[in-house]
Amino acid sequence: MKTTTINYLIYVLIFLAVSVPILVPLGLPLVVSKPTRDVYEAIQSLPANSVVVLDVTYDPINEVEQWPMTLALMEHLFTRPVKIVLVSLVHVGGVVYTLRALNIVDKHGKVYGQDYVYLGYFAGVEAAMSAFVSDMHTLAKTDFYGTPIDQIPMMKNIRTGKDINLFITLTTAYTSSYIGLIQAPFKMPMAIATVSVSIPEVRAYYNAGQVVGFLNGIRGAAEYEKLINRPYWGLGLMDAISVTHVILIGFVVLGNIQYFYNRRKSGGK
Amino acid sequence: MVWYRRELPLTITFVLGILISSDYFLVFAPLQKTAVTFNDFATIVATFALGLGAASLTLMHSKKIIDRSGEWYHSVLLVASLLSVVAVGLIFGVPSDAFQFQFKNIYSPLEATVFSLLAFYLLTTAYRALRIRTVETTVFLVSALAVVMMNAPVTEFLWGGFTNIGSWVLNVPNTAGQRGILIGAAIGAVALAIRTILGRETGYLGGK
Amino acid sequence: MAMIKEVGVLAIAAFIAIAVIVSIYLVKRGTLKMEIRRIAALDAIDMAIGRATEMGRPVHFTHGTAGGLYAGLAQGEAGAQIVAAMGVLSYVSELCAKFNVQLICTICHAETMPLYTDTIQLGFLKGGRPQLWNSDIVRFISPYQFAFTAGAMATISREKPAANFLVGPLYAESLLLAEVGYNVGAIQISGSAYTHQLPFLVAACDYTLIGEELYAAGVYLSKNPVLLGSIGAQDLTKILVMIFIGAASVLLTMGVNVIKIMGG
């Protein structure tokens, strides 16, 4: 078969594979993986009044994978008796998603300033990360809404990385920077919720114990939604993921069959 | 070669390289202040460079329009879009609904569209590249399939063993390779930085 | 009073710095002779430019979308990759001048435009044809990732280069650019130190520089024997790291956690 024909066939099949399961859900089963469960357990096992930092920091390109994770993680955190510090350390897009998520999630009676706070976006990526864990009060003179940080009740005792009990980041890359600048100096438990393409790198840190758990792209979002029993995009897209993966496997097999057939036809050359 | 094409940039590179690196290792307030100032300088330079880039883009495409060369009508669209976004931003302001409309309803969907091409191209690349040609490509194929089958919920449901195989591939050879490449690349980056600071890495200055 | 932080990192960086300086000095003196193994991707540059000459088609070069100063200067690793990519671009532009081949560069960050301009002009000068330079060679497309990607894809589709260089800190655009390059029949030489893009580049391109091969590219292509000393210093550091990892693993098996003892 000609390459262009195969390409057009691939394009049509992928379009159908993604669109049909979204319109007609197949309800395929989903097994929750250990890294996702570890993130869930890390949050679930936090004692009361623990400090959790949720760093929402991705741009619109990664919205599909990371928006459902944002909602799922925030939903779970707001059910726990913990103090939540929201921040955006890398991409300014995080501001949009943090504010949008805060408008949507059920806060379970939590009060702004006492139980959760949003410090806003800080430019500088690695410089911002380093400054955040060195002294939050120097980096963030006010919260996102302009209230001086000294006047925010919950921030009185939260100043440096030493005061953080769990750091969760929704980042797309910069894993090494988070580990090197935030996790390693303070040995704090860190969970990473990131896009699938970054997971091989995150796994190395997970296996070393530097990351307590991770969410693997849209699948991680779906697993977390299943764990907290709040279905959203993640679970909704799993059928499309399944069908697309099966088509990928099918085309790889087809490609190899064609390759061996052509080789045989040309006398093994 | 005149001194400002070579000696001056190398001197600036050396001084600023030492300054910014020292700030990372030393806790010294005046040094930190200086480093922050130079970081701000860099941001200002980058902002001016953005203007330079926009001007270069406009000039290049305007030339195409005037000469009616190639697909000049695409250049008309580009220049018109650029000018309209600038005009709306200047007249109504960046937080205005009009400006946000352009970003949310025109740019963002276009961006998502180009990003989604990845899915199609990924499959065509997989079809083309994942062949049992040599030992290396076979290993590539087997590992890719193992991870794909681990990630797809339906294959995992068919046989739980796919999860174990995929996890092993990710936890053992992948982690080993990642760590090796990360450590090697990090050491390489440090050595490159030292060569650049010392003025030995002159690729960007023409080589000699 | 200054206080030192990140002592461990400083020690490693200082060791590498001293090793680089000493090895360059020893090679210059003639005490040390260094040889570097063949790197297929870099050897293929000559063949790629030769192909472009025969076919009468241009050469395309880009370093991708990472590494903007505007992003806050924080992408230090991306910046290092861009400097390394300039080493490759310098050689590519020298060959393009030698063989009178058109060069097209697409860039995402306007602050790299002077870097590209200077590198190419000097490369053309070295290649003996400084008059080849014109302002259309370096094309700034957009600071936004996928706007740049769309523009670069369109450039490749229209110009149909015979050789496509994707060298530097590439993000998600790597596969898109590589596929379009393949579709127009270009020979593709890529290189990145970002592990999340390497699988795509290896699958889609003809040659790939992996990790530190990219950082060694400038030294390799300059054929400067003195600078090979710095590659030797890198390799010495890696050997010491390997010995440390091996010894620490054995000690950990025996119940001695070296990392914990060192404060890790």
Side-chain angles (χ1 to χ4, degrees), chain C residues 64-116:
Chain C
T65 58
L69 276 176
Y70 204 57
L73 254 199
Q75 302 189 42
E77 199 193 346
Q81 291 187 60
I82 294 174
V83 172
M86 290 304 104
V88 177
L89 178 62
S90 174
Y91 186 68
V92 167
S93 50
E94 185 188 337
L95 287 183
C96 284
K98 250 192 207 148
F99 298 115
N100 201 9
V101 173
Q102 186 192 0
L103 175 64
I104 300 165
C105 297
T106 48
I107 62 172
C108 181
H109 301 290
E111 60 268 24
T112 54
M113 188 180 267
L115 199 60
Y116 268 74

Side-chain angles (χ1 to χ4, degrees), chain A residues 6-7 10-11 14 29 61 200-201 203-204 207 216 219 238 242 245 248-249 251-252 255-256 258-259, chain B residues 111 115 120 124 126-127 130-133 141 148-154 156-157 170-171 174-175 178-179:
Chain A
I6 285 282
N7 284 356
I10 290 173
Y11 299 155
I14 287 298
I61 301 163
E201 189 183 349
R203 243 185 212 273
N207 290 338
N216 175 8
R219 185 186 166 126
M238 272 294 102
S242 288
H245 279 53
L248 170 67
I249 295 164
F251 270 104
V252 169
N256 278 283
Q258 188 179 21
Y259 170 70
Chain B
E111 191 180 46
F115 192 34
F120 300 95
T124 52
Y127 170 78
L130 295 181
R131 302 270 170 99
I132 304 173
R133 259 188 293 250
L141 165 72
V148 165
M149 286 196 261
M150 182 192 81
N151 276 332
V154 68
E156 200 181 26
F157 175 67
L170 284 176
N171 287 336
N174 163 70
T175 301
Q178 287 275 339
R179 285 179 181 154

Side-chain angles (χ1 to χ4, degrees), chain A residues 3-82:
Chain A
T3 309
T4 40
T5 316
I6 285 282
N7 284 356
Y8 291 145
L9 186 62
I10 290 173
Y11 299 155
V12 167
L13 280 175
I14 287 298
F15 176 76
L16 292 172
V18 174
S19 51
V20 169
I22 290 174
L23 298 169
V24 183
L26 304 170
L28 295 168
L30 176 69
V31 176
V32 177
S33 61
K34 187 174 179 304
T36 307
R37 201 171 282 284
D38 288 343
V39 176
Y40 179 84
E41 292 302 331
I43 295 175
Q44 203 58 16
S45 61
L46 283 169
N49 296 317
S50 297
V51 175
V52 179
V53 172
L54 184 65
D55 172 29
V56 181
T57 182
Y58 51 91
D59 48 11
I61 301 163
N62 303 111
E63 182 179 339
V64 173
E65 283 190 278
Q66 298 197 276
W67 170 240
M69 286 188 213
T70 311
L71 281 183
L73 285 166
M74 236 189 244
E75 286 272 3
H76 190 200
L77 283 170
F78 274 104
T79 63
R80 304 292 304 138
V82 297

Side-chain angles (χ1 to χ4, degrees), chain B residues 146-204:
Chain B
V147 176
V148 165
M149 286 196 261
M150 182 192 81
N151 276 332
V154 68
T155 50
E156 200 181 26
F157 175 67
L158 288 172
W159 182 50
F162 287 129
T163 308
N164 297 333
I165 297 170
S167 294
W168 181 86
V169 168
L170 284 176
N171 287 336
V172 182
N174 163 70
T175 301
Q178 287 275 339
R179 285 179 181 154
I181 294 174
L182 278 171
I183 292 169
I187 295 170
V190 172
L192 175 78
I194 290 162
R195 287 200 303 269
T196 308
I197 289 171
L198 295 177
R200 288 287 183 176
E201 182 72 30
T202 51
Y204 62 98

